[in-house]
Amino acid sequence: MSTVEAPAKKRAQISARTLRTDNWRSYPIFIVVLFTTWVAYATVRAMMGKYYWVDEYNYLTPFYSPCVSTECVPGSAHFGTFLPELPFFIPFAAVSLPFLLLFRLTCYYYRKAYYRSYWRSPAACAVREPHKKYTGERRFPLVAQNLHRYFWAAAVIISIINTYDALLAFTDSNGDFRMGLGSLILLGNVILLWGYTLSCHSCRHIVGGRLKNFSKHPLRYRAWTLVSKLNERHGQYALITLGSLVVADLYVALVSGGVISDPRII
Ligand code: FES
């Protein structure tokens, strides 16, 4: 009987960097411009130390939430001020921002985006990468990407705090119900943040993973179905929330600095 030999495991020897003829560079270029601009804006704002709170309307920008430094202006610290005066490069929200940064940095969607755009590993499907070796995420430091599920848990707590801030933006200093354009912007931002947090791949696994069958866990099955639906749009939430965070922060900064006034609805 003749034996069939397995095909040799060799890559096709193609000298061209890619045979793609479409505009595959547009995605990595878009991501580099977007992420670099966003990080620059967020860094400046987080370290600015002003224009983050509107006392009259209880507006707090998400970049300063929770405000926990003794330098936070009166009224803006809803959870106490337990951090002493800080050097300028440490933000007032020093207990939340590092976790949010790590949450996004280890996010599956962002990983794809920055591996392709900054690292070019690879820049796009079917495009030869410049790196000679591929070690995946098995070694330090990339093995730390596995901590994503823990940063997700921190992000859930911070989203609850952001929700509290957004609800507070519907009250005045006496605690009466009030509403302005800023209240709606902060609320819209927090809804999108929940969309991003709950559509996370780790969330999907936490909700519906490690089960032998769903029939014995109808509630978890229902939750998993909902999270799976959100998960289909996770990449969109990842990008949209970058925009909603900037809109919310910039709006609070402009009102706080007296550049614009907040149109009141109620
Ligand atoms: Fe994107 Fe978890 S995979 S936040």
Side-chain angles (χ1 to χ4, degrees):
M1 202 165 87
S2 64
T3 51
V4 181
E5 277 186 26
K9 285 184 182 170
K10 272 192 177 173
R11 284 189 166 184
Q13 297 302 302
I14 300 169
S15 56
R17 187 168 171 224
T18 181
L19 298 180
R20 283 181 67 164
T21 53
D22 61 328
N23 190 13
W24 58 268
R25 288 181 180 84
S26 58
Y27 176 78
I29 290 172
F30 166 71
I31 291 294
V32 166
V33 172
L34 179 72
F35 285 9
T36 307
T37 310
W38 195 91
V39 168
Y41 174 87
T43 307
V44 169
R45 279 296 292 142
M47 292 177 185
M48 193 177 265
K50 50 188 179 182
Y51 309 133
Y52 56 89
W53 170 247
V54 182
D55 195 43
E56 204 179 347
Y57 308 132
N58 288 333
Y59 292 168
L60 178 66
T61 159
F63 287 178
Y64 284 75
S65 174
C67 208
V68 292
S69 162
T70 48
E71 292 172 275
C72 296
V73 294
S76 65
H78 306 138
F79 298 91
T81 51
F82 45 87
L83 289 187
E85 206 166 303
L86 302 164
F88 80 94
F89 54 85
I90 299 187
F92 290 177
V95 292
S96 59
L97 292 191
F99 288 105
L100 290 179
L101 178 67
L102 290 167
F103 177 50
R104 296 219 174 214
L105 206 62
T106 56
C107 161
Y108 291 32
Y109 173 76
Y110 283 105
R111 270 143 80 174
K112 180 189 95 172
Y114 66 75
Y115 285 166
R116 288 191 174 188
S117 310
Y118 290 88
W119 213 311
R120 296 192 295 148
S121 178
C125 289
V127 175
R128 199 174 64 212
E129 56 185 293
H131 311 281
K132 292 219 165 52
K133 260 196 339 193
Y134 174 75
T135 54
E137 294 174 330
R138 288 173 293 131
R139 296 184 193 164
F140 184 81
L142 292 186
V143 73
Q145 303 279 29
N146 286 316
L147 297 174
H148 181 65
R149 69 202 76 170
Y150 304 107
F151 300 135
W152 175 82
V156 168
I157 296 169
I158 296 163
S159 293
I160 293 170
I161 293 171
N162 290 155
T163 306
Y164 177 79
D165 296 336
L167 294 178
L168 214 59
F170 283 85
T171 61
D172 62 13
S173 45
N174 297 322
D176 295 328
F177 180 73
R178 292 283 180 267
M179 183 165 61
L181 180 60
S183 324
L184 297 176
I185 289 175
L186 290 172
L187 182 66
N189 174 55
V190 97
I191 290 171
L192 290 169
L193 287 180
W194 274 116
Y196 173 62
T197 308
L198 295 180
S199 64
C200 165
H201 296 264
S202 291
C203 173
R204 188 166 174 259
H205 181 70
I206 288 164
V207 167
R210 293 178 175 271
L211 292 178
K212 288 222 163 48
N213 55 58
F214 276 129
S215 58
K216 290 188 182 143
H217 305 274
L219 280 181
R220 284 187 68 180
Y221 176 66
R222 214 175 149 65
W224 177 80
T225 310
L226 286 172
V227 170
S228 298
K229 279 211 178 86
L230 286 174
N231 181 257
E232 286 169 20
R233 302 194 178 279
H234 186 60
Q236 289 165 23
Y237 281 119
L239 293 185
I240 290 170
T241 48
L242 289 184
S244 71
L245 280 165
V246 169
V247 169
D249 174 74
L250 193 57
Y251 188 83
V252 172
L254 292 175
V255 175
S256 171
V259 179
I260 58 171
S261 56
D262 181 54
R264 304 307 293 168
I265 300 165
I266 297 176

